[in-house]
Amino acid sequence: MRSVTDIDKLVEEDRIADAENALAKQGYCSKDDAGNPFAPIGPYHHHRPVLVPAAGKGEFSIEIHIQVGNLSWAQVLPEDYVLQRKRPIEFGGRRVRIPSPGDMLVHALIHAASSRDYYLRRFRLRHAIDLNRLWQA
């Protein structure tokens, strides 16, 4: 298993406030340097400010995404397409919806290609593990 530092949650744009408020009730708060917990994002950024758990409230930070990746990848994997194809699974005793295996595979490839390692001609083991697990899904 590879290490995970955050959870990416793709949310319909009109449901962002609901998602942020629900996570705030669970003890998450913004890591925004300006001190504004839910500051607006610029037109070229694909997720809201990172939400971090209060001490003892969770292990992972969460990024609420409005796009799968930055603007240059929007045509490769449009968020509307991903949201229409999500599928339900049981996780932690709850029913959650996740992207299809094919969409997760394309997302993993986007992550690998967007990484500075790609431009330095390095390939991280974490990307290989992601691709292998998604290929088997």
Side-chain angles (χ1 to χ4, degrees), residues 7 20 25 60 66-67 72 123 128:
I7 296 172
E20 289 175 332
K25 288 178 185 174
F60 302 102
I66 58 168
Q67 295 174 329
S72 62
F123 192 76

Side-chain angles (χ1 to χ4, degrees), residues 99-114:
S100 71
D103 292 345
M104 286 193 288
L105 178 62
V106 173
H107 182 254
L109 290 168
I110 287 171
H111 246 283
S114 298

Side-chain angles (χ1 to χ4, degrees), residues 23-113:
L23 288 166
K25 288 178 185 174
Q26 297 298 317
Y28 281 84
C29 58
S30 175
K31 199 171 142 179
D32 181 1
D33 293 335
N36 183 353
F38 303 125
I41 57 175
Y44 301 108
H45 205 71
H46 61 283
H47 66 78
R48 302 282 293 146
V50 176
L51 298 172
V52 295
K57 292 284 188 177
E59 299 177 29
F60 302 102
S61 60
I62 298 176
E63 292 176 352
I64 296 178
H65 283 244
I66 58 168
Q67 295 174 329
V68 174
N70 63 37
L71 197 55
S72 62
W73 290 103
Q75 291 181 335
V76 176
L77 194 59
E79 61 276 2
D80 291 345
Y81 180 76
V82 174
L83 290 167
Q84 289 171 4
R85 294 167 35 93
K86 59 190 171 188
R87 60 192 173 105
I89 64 164
E90 290 291 325
F91 181 77
R94 293 189 171 188
R95 197 162 179 83
V96 298
R97 295 173 297 169
I98 63 171
S100 71
D103 292 345
M104 286 193 288
L105 178 62
V106 173
H107 182 254
L109 290 168
I110 287 171
H111 246 283

